[in-house]
Amino acid sequence: MNTRSLKFQLSVWYASLLTAGLALLGIITYVALERSLTGALKENQFRRARQVSQLLSELLDKRNANAAGPEIEARYAPGLNDRFVRVSRRDGAVIYLSPRHESQTFSPAAIGPPAWADKAESARVVPLEGGRKMMLAGHVLQTANGESYLVESGAPMDTVQSDLRHWLFFLGIMLPTIAALGLAGGYLLVKRALLPVDKIAATAERISSHTLSERLPVPQNGDEIERLTTALNHMIDRLDAAFQHSRRFVADASHELRTPLTTLRGELETLLRDPRSPREWREQLGSPLEEVERLAQIVEGLFAISRLDAGEAAAEWVPFDLAQLAISTADQMALLAEDKQIHVTCTGSIGVWVQGDRARMRQVVVNLLDNAIKYTPPGGSVTLTVRAQDAKAVLEVADTGMGIPSHALPKVFERFFRVDKARSRDEGGAGLGLAIVKSICTAHEGRVEANSKPGYGSQFRVELPLVPAAPKSQTLVSKNEH
Ligand code: ADP
């Protein structure tokens, strides 16, 4: 689980706040419960002490203090009720101490000495054996002849302690349970709330400069995500318009340049061939004609890319055998390889069917082979392979040439990119060949990638969707040319 995700963090915050709130509530309830239970017990003991004190006062009035013990026993029977009563005089004499009954849970004689307080009534908690406690309330009786008696009444706090323990146990069980439920519930709630974000992210991943007509799904619930997606869609609208504008500009510019360049080339060629032109003229016209041809090639390349990028429907969109197309194209380029004494090997499984525009796909093979021959020194070799692999048609062109430095590898498919500007220009390249290859592959829902080891050679791999209904590939052909 990603602990930095919004889902996780929101759920943890939610569960923590819920648990902290409940823990606070639990503590407050514990304190209130403790006060209420001990308060009630204390009040009971005060009442009993006052009653005993009243009884003692009546007996003292009748000068019959000796009857205090039997009277208290008869009326209140403290031992039987697991209670404690003690009457003591200021001089320390104990007039009465409740006797220990067999059912009693504590020993009255073990309770500490009487504690005289300044006030007429005071209460305290005294320890009993085994960690238990007793609530002891004292009432001072002041007689008319100046004598004072302390009447103490006490009861073990077992019920209070066990009630508080039960409450703590309940809290100990409930808090982790509520924290776990809060975490799980919070996670599910946040996950549901963020579900549209996953869909938006998946769509945004798909949108590229070629699919700018797509829009993000807008959840119609008036929340922040709806506002965000609407704003992003407006941004894509503007990007789409800007892209279309720039594509139209390149297409228009290259279209406009084609005609004057063709005219210029035609006129230069006529002048060059015309026997009436002076010889010096004809000698000097070769170089401008070459430049015009180069310009015309660039313009053609740009025009092709802008049409492909604009997604213009190809004239011909049919299923065809990529292996056959590759082999026949390599055949046509045999002369070029022969000139440079380059050994071209072609291997392919006949019947690797793809769908698309044959002429444009031929252009891919031509550009890749042309580069491989161009950038491989004489005596080197070029291998062209076509095969079906993992539901894909794969075309590979590998050479034993100079290779491409790793820093340049990611850029070779960019327009006008050339590794060595001076050398490429001598060879006649404008840096558009691989950009055209990439545009054609993208238009065919395929991809192209380059690998290279400088000094050892390069490998270009084109992957296209295989046509499922195509005949099975079986025959292996191999062809060598010099
Ligand atoms: P160019 O028309 O200049 O050949 P490309 O777009 O076809 O333009 O190629 C871009 C650059 O990539 C070339 O200038 C060249 O430096 C490099 N390149 C392409 N193919 C190869 C190859 N097979 N071996 C070495 N370098 C290559």
Side-chain angles (χ1 to χ4, degrees):
M1 186 181 286
N2 178 8
T3 52
R4 292 171 69 167
S5 75
L6 203 58
K7 267 182 232 166
F8 183 83
Q9 293 195 8
L10 281 178
S11 326
V12 169
W13 268 108
Y14 173 70
S16 312
L17 285 177
L18 188 71
T19 316
L22 283 173
L24 191 68
L25 191 72
I27 292 168
I28 292 172
T29 327
Y30 179 86
V31 173
L33 186 69
E34 199 227 350
R35 288 200 174 165
S36 147
L37 291 175
T38 46
L41 189 65
K42 196 194 290 177
E43 201 36 59
N44 261 340
Q45 299 319 305
F46 272 132
R47 202 168 53 243
R48 174 63 44 87
R50 273 181 229 124
Q51 286 168 347
V52 175
S53 176
Q54 175 68 31
L55 177 69
L56 182 65
S57 159
E58 285 165 11
L59 290 173
L60 285 172
D61 285 349
K62 292 180 198 161
R63 308 211 171 274
N64 196 6
N66 290 343
E71 273 298 320
I72 296 170
E73 278 295 318
R75 287 203 200 181
Y76 305 111
L80 257 177
N81 299 316
D82 201 24
R83 295 283 181 270
F84 171 82
V85 176
R86 178 166 62 189
V87 181
S88 39
R89 228 173 24 216
R90 180 62 98 174
D91 59 12
V94 175
I95 310 293
Y96 170 76
L97 173 67
S98 53
R100 173 152 201 182
H101 192 268
E102 57 199 17
S103 66
Q104 211 158 16
T105 59
F106 64 93
S107 159
I111 305 293
W116 289 78
D118 299 339
K119 297 178 285 176
E121 282 190 340
S122 64
R124 64 196 166 113
V125 175
V126 295
L128 296 179
E129 60 274 19
R132 294 165 64 223
K133 289 174 185 169
M134 172 180 276
M135 171 62 75
L136 207 55
H139 179 90
V140 177
L141 173 69
Q142 204 76 47
T143 58
N145 58 7
E147 274 187 320
S148 34
Y149 293 86
L150 175 65
V151 178
E152 291 169 297
S153 169
M157 295 175 72
D158 295 351
T159 326
V160 174
Q161 282 181 300
S162 94
D163 282 357
L164 289 174
R165 260 200 307 276
H166 280 139
W167 181 240
L168 270 185
F169 179 72
F170 177 74
L171 283 182
I173 299 271
M174 283 318 281
L175 277 181
T177 312
I178 288 173
L181 284 177
L183 195 64
Y187 187 78
L188 288 179
L189 280 178
V190 177
K191 194 174 166 185
R192 237 186 80 180
L194 291 181
L195 212 57
V197 176
D198 290 338
K199 284 192 196 144
I200 292 163
T203 315
E205 285 288 347
R206 277 203 312 271
I207 296 181
S208 70
S209 62
H210 298 280
T211 52
L212 270 177
S213 54
E214 259 195 72
R215 291 292 173 273
L216 303 175
V218 181
Q220 304 286 347
N221 44 19
D223 63 0
E224 290 80 357
I225 296 180
E226 181 183 339
R227 262 184 28 228
L228 178 70
T229 33
T230 312
L232 286 174
N233 277 344
H234 288 155
M235 187 183 79
I236 300 172
D237 282 344
R238 292 191 292 275
L239 280 178
D240 193 14
F243 261 90
Q244 280 183 18
H245 184 266
S246 94
R247 275 190 199 128
R248 244 192 332 268
F249 173 77
V250 178
D252 290 350
S254 43
H255 185 72
E256 288 302 318
L257 286 171
R258 274 167 118 195
T259 323
L261 278 174
T262 317
T263 316
L264 198 58
R265 182 165 59 185
E267 284 175 2
L268 282 174
E269 278 171 354
T270 317
L271 270 176
L272 200 67
R273 280 196 222 101
D274 193 345
R276 289 169 303 167
S277 315
R279 205 165 55 86
E280 310 87 75
W281 275 34
R282 275 185 276 156
E283 272 167 11
Q284 284 189 2
L285 279 177
S287 169
L289 183 62
E290 253 178 42
E291 291 300 323
V292 168
E293 265 164 8
R294 196 194 303 277
L295 266 177
Q297 256 179 29
I298 294 174
V299 167
E300 280 304 324
L302 277 178
F303 190 58
I305 293 175
S306 67
R307 280 179 52 141
L308 283 163
D309 284 357
E312 273 179 40
E316 178 201 27
W317 200 263
V318 288
F320 60 88
D321 185 348
L322 184 66
Q324 242 158 22
L325 178 97
I327 290 165
S328 68
T329 312
D331 262 347
Q332 288 160 10
M333 297 181 71
L335 225 61
L336 191 69
E338 225 171 272
D339 279 352
K340 270 196 81 178
Q341 292 146 31
I342 286 174
H343 180 85
V344 179
T345 311
C346 249
T347 59
S349 316
I350 293 290
V352 179
W353 288 77
V354 295
Q355 189 142 14
D357 185 328
R358 280 175 65 97
R360 281 179 173 163
M361 204 42 79
R362 185 184 295 280
Q363 186 72 53
V364 168
V365 184
V366 168
N367 288 8
L368 292 180
L369 276 179
D370 185 52
N371 277 348
I373 295 168
K374 207 156 61 179
Y375 299 111
T376 301
S381 66
V382 171
T383 316
L384 173 69
T385 318
V386 181
R387 63 176 185 275
Q389 188 186 348
D390 304 332
K392 299 236 166 60
V394 178
L395 179 143
E396 270 171 8
V397 177
D399 62 56
T400 57
M402 61 185 67
I404 304 166
S406 57
H407 67 87
L409 210 52
K411 296 187 190 153
V412 289
F413 295 104
E414 286 174 13
R415 289 162 203 190
F416 297 111
F417 178 80
R418 286 169 294 170
V419 175
D420 180 347
K421 305 249 183 292
R423 186 192 68 209
S424 261
R425 190 172 157 76
D426 291 344
E427 304 261 5
L432 284 177
L434 289 179
I436 293 177
V437 167
K438 188 173 179 192
S439 290
I440 297 177
C441 290
T442 310
H444 282 76
E445 284 164 16
R447 55 195 284 267
V448 57
E449 63 179 25
N451 282 303
S452 184
K453 207 171 168 199
Y456 289 91
S458 315
Q459 187 203 44
F460 286 83
R461 179 187 166 96
V462 172
E463 277 181 15
L464 298 169
L466 206 57
V467 176
K472 280 218 159 70
S473 55
Q474 265 150 13
T475 335
L476 190 76
V477 292
S478 181
K479 200 169 161 58
N480 294 333
E481 291 167 24
H482 284 281

